[in-house]
Amino acid sequence: MFRVLMVCLIMTLPFSSLAEVIHKERSLYRNILVEKTGDLLCLKFNEKTRKSTQSCMYKSEPKKLVFNYTKMTFASLLFIDNPKNVLIIGLGGGSLSNTIHELYPSAHIENVEIDPAVIKVARDYFSFVETDNVTSKVQDGRIFIKRAALKKQKYDWIILDAFNGDYIPEHLLTKEFFAEVKSVLADGGIVAANTFSSSKLYQHESATYFDVFGDFVNVVTDENSNRIILAGFETMPSQQQLAERVNKLANKLTPYDVDLQLLSEHLFYTKGNQDWPADTKVLTDQYSPANLLNYQ
Amino acid sequence: MNKINALIYFLAFSSGFCIMGIELLGGRILAPYFGSSVHIWGSIITVFMLSLSFGYLLGGKLSTRNPSLTKYGLIFFAASIMVVPIVLFAEPIMTFIFTHIEDSRYGSLLASTALFFIPTTILGMISPYSVRLLVTDHEKSGQVAGGLYFVSTLGSALGTIITSFYMVLAFDVNDIIKTFAAVLGALGLLAIAVSQLKTKERTVCLES
């Protein structure tokens, strides 16, 4: 028994020297880890068999965004000017909120996160900034948006980022939910959803977005990564308009390692280009086996 | 085992199947209004356990007054009818509660009570009533009760897995619940029909 333990200990040594766990927490929903690997600080959700990374930052360059999908979210800025009211569903380490706050200090940003422990960790380890303008609320995203609709609130940038790689809150992926999102979207506003680009779910998800928003844009910069869906805009900007926006904003985004020029070249408009079968079943509150579809 | 007893076991199995199938779909029904936090399952499980416990009491009480297969069938028939409002009125009920109660814990508890309390109470009456119909020899009562719990809990397990693994992939939530209602109604009618046939047979025997 002792020898087995020793072997186990020795085997884990090289890994522990690479990534150092600096905080561990068991929340209502999951185990949360904050891991430090050299300069990189990451928030991870831990299950017995796997760890999924939610958010990371470089300690020496906290501005620089680490994940491709976070960077891709900023393709939204090719569609909107000066967002004033921003809604973020799913906080993670708070890097989106921090970046948007730096870019637009006067914008109101509301972060909605279901897990209070995630908010705490974002504050304690990831310098998540909260001010009078930047707030966070512990709530299920669906409930928040339903109440916001009752209060007739409007947002001109809505970011949906509540999926964690292997689990999908199925009530945040239905036609009814997207209709509620649409009802709190201001005129000229945009919805950006960080989501999947593989499995059978891809088709169902596309069909559902199309059903509610009409044609939308997929932002995909490399084959195996996530996609960002941009939806809710009225007209697709022309090449010239896109170029103008890139010129105007590119420098502002460089410190965050966001290459707006590159993003502008990776917008795939679905008009005349639908890559899902026409008879794909739309996901609804009545039919929403997203987690099961994700394995098919 | 005679045919009537086999029918009772089968009916108990089916009611177990339907109860857990409905409970599982309860999470899906409440999620659009009250989210998918841990307290949703807290609300649903609390209401189901509470209503089953009342059902056990009521079913036991009812079984002391001239128990019959007809009355047994009527319980199924009543359950079938009371499941239908889950399909018809879930949305307006939940909209009303959502707009009047801010805290989603109490909102989900109330919604879950409004939707599931009555049908689950009626379904809970089935187990003790089944025991009453099956027990003819009080020395075997424990064995009969054990067999019945086995069959109905097995039904519950299958209802849970089949609903969550397969049915939600193929059908809408409301269609699955309507099917449960139809099955319960059909089984109730079957029990009543069998009971009538049996009485007729007996009268024929007595007359000849």
Side-chain angles (χ1 to χ4, degrees):
Chain A
M1 187 63 196
F2 180 70
R3 277 173 65 181
V4 174
L5 275 176
M6 280 304 288
V7 171
C8 289
L9 268 176
I10 291 163
M11 279 176 67
T12 56
L13 272 177
F15 298 102
S16 54
S17 65
L18 276 174
E20 182 195 346
V21 176
I22 57 173
H23 179 76
K24 240 185 198 171
E25 181 161 347
R26 191 186 192 128
S27 82
L28 270 176
Y29 300 93
R30 50 185 75 95
N31 293 318
I32 295 174
L33 293 180
V34 180
E35 274 185 10
K36 198 174 151 240
T37 315
D39 190 31
L40 201 64
L41 192 68
C42 291
L43 166 68
K44 295 185 175 179
F45 292 163
N46 188 30
E47 286 163 38
K48 200 131 203 136
T49 49
R50 59 186 295 176
K51 281 178 194 167
S52 63
T53 309
Q54 301 302 310
S55 185
C56 289
M57 71 185 266
Y58 300 109
K59 288 226 80 161
S60 61
E61 293 173 282
K63 272 188 178 219
K64 221 167 148 183
L65 296 170
V66 179
F67 288 120
N68 202 26
Y69 82 83
T70 320
K71 298 175 191 176
M72 275 150 62
T73 306
F74 287 89
S76 309
L77 297 176
L78 296 164
F79 292 76
I80 44 168
D81 277 317
N82 270 325
K84 288 188 187 63
N85 290 298
V86 183
L87 175 62
I88 303 174
I89 305 290
L91 179 70
S95 53
L96 275 169
S97 177
N98 282 0
T99 308
I100 297 169
H101 177 56
E102 281 181 23
L103 287 170
Y104 304 101
S106 63
H108 287 271
I109 306 172
E110 285 185 73
N111 291 283
V112 179
E113 167 61 51
I114 196 169
D115 191 340
V118 169
I119 300 182
K120 196 172 138 264
V121 167
R123 279 177 193 147
D124 294 350
Y125 294 92
F126 294 88
S127 332
F128 169 47
V129 179
E130 284 166 290
T131 68
D132 289 346
N133 274 348
V134 182
T135 57
S136 61
K137 185 164 193 183
V138 180
Q139 199 164 54
D140 188 290
R142 182 88 191 246
I143 302 176
F144 183 91
I145 288 184
K146 241 189 177 58
R147 294 227 179 271
L150 282 180
K151 293 178 206 150
K152 307 232 183 301
Q153 277 162 338
K154 296 279 181 188
Y155 299 91
D156 31 33
W157 192 6
I158 300 174
I159 299 171
L160 303 177
D161 190 15
F163 303 158
N164 78 29
D166 34 37
Y167 170 72
I168 307 153
E170 293 173 333
H171 61 309
L172 301 185
L173 201 58
T174 68
K175 178 181 164 172
E176 292 87 346
F177 174 61
F178 294 150
E180 288 163 13
V181 170
K182 198 178 174 184
S183 75
V184 295
L185 190 64
D187 289 339
I190 194 158
V191 177
N194 164 36
T195 170
F196 303 91
S197 59
S198 57
S199 85
K200 217 175 168 183
L201 185 58
Y202 179 90
Q203 304 170 0
H204 289 277
E205 193 182 28
S206 299
T208 310
Y209 270 95
F210 180 75
D211 192 79
V212 176
F213 293 101
D215 280 300
F216 57 89
V217 162
N218 280 314
V219 189
V220 184
T221 58
D222 90 68
E223 283 289 303
N224 301 314
S225 135
N226 299 25
R227 65 166 160 166
I228 298 287
I229 289 179
L230 299 176
F233 54 87
E234 277 134 35
T235 46
M236 181 70 188
S238 65
Q239 284 304 321
Q240 196 196 335
Q241 284 170 316
L242 288 175
E244 279 168 19
R245 294 210 188 240
V246 170
N247 274 335
K248 201 172 124 193
L249 290 165
N251 287 337
K252 222 177 155 184
L253 289 169
T254 312
Y256 306 97
D257 213 12
V258 174
D259 185 344
L260 204 57
Q261 173 64 39
L262 180 86
L263 291 177
S264 74
E265 291 160 16
H266 287 84
L267 306 178
F268 300 97
Y269 193 31
T270 58
K271 195 163 200 164
N273 246 329
Q274 294 184 359
D275 59 352
W276 63 92
D279 61 348
T280 307
K281 200 166 173 184
V282 167
L283 300 171
T284 65
D285 284 345
Q286 285 288 318
Y287 177 78
S288 169
N291 287 295
L292 291 174
L293 288 168
N294 204 20
Y295 288 112
Q296 299 210 328
Chain B
M1 196 196 313
N2 70 38
K3 280 180 188 159
I4 302 279
N5 284 8
L7 176 73
I8 292 169
Y9 279 114
F10 174 66
L11 260 62
F13 172 88
S14 308
S15 76
F17 192 104
C18 294
I19 291 171
M20 284 311 291
I22 295 170
E23 177 166 351
L24 195 109
L25 295 174
R28 177 52 53 77
I29 294 170
L30 295 186
Y33 291 83
F34 306 103
S36 61
S37 305
V38 270
H39 61 253
I40 291 295
W41 283 110
S43 296
I44 293 173
I45 295 170
T46 302
V47 168
F48 271 78
M49 289 297 138
L50 209 61
S51 41
L52 282 175
S53 66
F54 282 121
Y56 296 152
L57 270 187
L58 284 173
K61 185 90 189 151
L62 193 73
S63 73
T64 58
R65 287 177 233 148
N66 305 319
S68 73
L69 199 53
T70 305
K71 285 185 187 163
Y72 186 64
L74 284 173
I75 301 176
F76 277 80
F77 204 69
S80 159
I81 292 168
M82 295 318 291
V83 164
V84 177
I86 300 173
V87 174
L88 297 182
F89 307 121
E91 294 234 350
I93 289 174
M94 289 190 295
T95 308
F96 181 81
I97 295 171
F98 182 82
T99 44
H100 287 81
I101 297 177
E102 276 274 332
D103 191 327
S104 68
R105 288 175 300 175
Y106 302 109
S108 65
L109 189 62
L110 195 64
S112 168
T113 307
L115 293 174
F116 305 116
F117 190 80
I118 296 174
T120 316
T121 301
I122 299 173
L123 285 164
M125 294 164 69
I126 289 166
S127 287
Y129 209 96
S130 309
V131 174
R132 177 65 188 88
L133 290 180
L134 289 168
V135 171
T136 43
D137 172 357
H138 73 91
E139 285 199 357
K140 283 192 176 157
S141 58
Q143 193 190 345
V144 167
L148 194 95
Y149 290 142
F150 169 74
V151 164
S152 72
T153 309
L154 192 69
S156 297
L158 283 176
T160 307
I161 197 169
I162 292 176
T163 307
S164 62
F165 280 28
Y166 306 104
M167 294 216 267
V168 290
L169 261 181
F171 310 106
D172 282 6
V173 172
N174 280 351
D175 291 342
I176 303 172
I177 292 190
K178 278 184 223 161
T179 309
F180 286 148
V183 166
L184 288 169
L187 291 174
L189 288 178
L190 178 69
I192 295 166
V194 167
S195 161
Q196 299 300 322
L197 274 177
K198 206 179 68 171
T199 7
K200 214 175 268 175
E201 262 172 35
R202 205 183 293 146
T203 12
V204 171
C205 285
L206 284 176
E207 276 170 2
S208 62

